[in-house]
């Protein structure tokens, strides 16, 4: 069932606190060392972590001015790993391409790279059979939504943190993956853009407005709520029976 609006402080979920506390029904994932990988023909730089008995794979698409080493995304990735989800933190551009700022905001180019990374992941023996989700931030969230709308690209779930879904607006009606939109209540313009995107999405969808949070979710407790809701979404839609 579609959920059209859920405020982090206003509508408690049966999942709230379950995974961050470690007291829930999902066992803690066994953490294994991350390794550097080269993804696709462009040999894009990535960091892959695959817990034992992984329940799914989340590919991260960072925003402008960031990289696979984004502290915020690495923090989310570590939490997902600890709950049994594999993660791929990925640069969607080569260093030379990233030096041209036009490429950083070229959502079609970034989405194409994300589709390529998905195909790469599906071909890796250690990732065989894992459902794939996207976690996108800022412009990376727009790229994730465009990639999810591509025919034949099998994406089981998308989480957008502080995203710019308006950049992907023409493609939103074609997204069939369940989409969770996260925005900070103090990030007024982005909140409105996400509310508009929610109306355009046709599949399973939800928006969570994190109280007191700005665009980067730097306020005390804000990233914890991001991690909680991302875990809830991915653990709902990625594991396969």
């Amino acid at each position: 069932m579609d959920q059209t609006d859920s405020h982090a402080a206003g509508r408690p979920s049966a999942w709230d606190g379950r995974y961050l506390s470690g007291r829930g029904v999902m066992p803690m994932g066994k953490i294994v060392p991350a390794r550097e990988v080269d993804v696709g023909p462009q040999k894009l730089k990535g960091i892959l972590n695959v817990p034992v008995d992984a329940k799914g794979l989340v590919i991260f698409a960072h925003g402008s001015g960031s990289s696979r080493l984004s502290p915020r995304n690495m923090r989310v990735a570590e939490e997902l790993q600890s709950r049994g989800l594999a993660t791929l933190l990925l640069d969607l551009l080569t260093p030379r391409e990233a030096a041209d700022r036009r490429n950083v905001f070229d959502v079609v180019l970034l989405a194409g790279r994300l589709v390529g990374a998905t195909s790469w992941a599906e071909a890796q023996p250690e990732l065989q059979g894992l459902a794939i989700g996207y976690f996108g931030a800022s412009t990376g969230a727009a790229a994730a939504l465009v990639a999810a709308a591509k025919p034949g690209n099998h994406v089981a779930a998308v989480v957008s943190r502080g995203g710019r879904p308006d950049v992907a607006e023409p493609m939103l009606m074609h997204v069939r993956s369940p989409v969770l939109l996260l925005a900070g209540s103090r990030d007024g313009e982005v909140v409105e853009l996400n509310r508009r995107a929610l109306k355009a999405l046709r599949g399973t969808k939800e928006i969570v407005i994190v109280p007191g949070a700005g665009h980067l979710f730097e306020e005390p407790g804000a990233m914890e709520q991001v991690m909680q809701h991302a875990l809830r979404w991915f653990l709902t839609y990625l594991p396969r029976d």
Side-chain angles (χ1 to χ4, degrees):
M1 182 176 69
D2 292 356
Q3 299 181 32
T4 57
D5 195 358
S6 174
H7 290 266
R11 186 189 302 175
S13 162
W15 296 71
D16 284 355
R18 181 183 301 178
Y19 295 103
L20 293 181
S21 67
R23 295 192 295 270
V25 296
M26 297 297 290
M28 295 286 286
K30 181 177 179 181
I31 302 301
V32 296
R35 63 185 178 90
E36 296 277 348
V37 293
D38 293 329
V39 176
Q42 299 86 12
K43 299 201 176 296
L44 302 172
K45 298 300 179 182
I47 303 172
L48 179 66
N49 189 297
V50 186
V52 174
D53 298 324
K55 303 173 179 66
L57 168 67
V58 178
I59 301 177
F60 283 70
H62 58 77
S64 60
S66 189
S67 74
R68 70 189 185 283
L69 302 177
S70 159
R72 286 176 290 276
N73 282 349
M74 292 181 77
R75 187 177 172 191
V76 175
E78 288 170 0
E79 191 65 35
L80 298 182
Q81 295 155 19
S82 74
R83 301 306 187 255
L85 292 169
T87 63
L88 175 60
L89 291 154
L90 182 65
D91 288 346
L92 297 177
L93 299 171
T94 67
R96 183 175 181 178
E97 290 171 335
D100 184 342
R101 295 295 290 173
R102 291 173 297 181
N103 291 328
V104 173
F105 297 99
D106 188 338
V107 172
V108 174
L109 171 62
L110 299 177
R113 295 289 172 83
L114 199 49
V115 171
T118 305
S119 298
W120 176 89
E122 291 171 337
Q124 303 307 302
E126 64 190 311
L127 301 174
Q128 288 288 315
L130 295 183
I132 295 175
Y134 294 153
F135 183 97
S138 191
T139 51
L145 289 166
V146 172
K150 296 286 187 181
N153 190 30
H154 305 294
V155 181
V158 177
V159 174
S160 162
R161 172 179 66 83
R164 289 291 308 275
D166 56 304
V167 181
E169 194 163 9
M171 301 297 292
L172 293 180
M173 65 183 297
H174 302 293
V175 176
R176 293 295 176 262
S177 311
V179 175
L180 172 63
L181 303 171
L182 300 171
S185 66
R186 295 176 54 239
D187 196 9
E189 181 181 0
V190 170
V191 168
E192 292 309 311
L193 293 174
N194 277 264
R195 289 195 189 281
R196 190 170 73 188
L198 187 78
K199 295 178 180 179
L201 289 164
R202 302 301 174 86
T204 300
K205 57 190 177 180
E206 181 180 342
I207 187 170
V208 173
I209 309 302
V210 178
H215 185 64
L216 297 179
F217 296 87
E218 296 177 308
E219 296 76 12
M223 280 304 297
E224 284 76 11
Q225 292 199 49
V226 168
M227 291 187 289
Q228 177 181 322
H229 287 290
L231 279 166
R232 171 175 63 86
W233 203 253
F234 287 130
L235 289 173
T236 296
Y237 295 107
L238 292 192
R240 291 171 172 167
D241 295 330

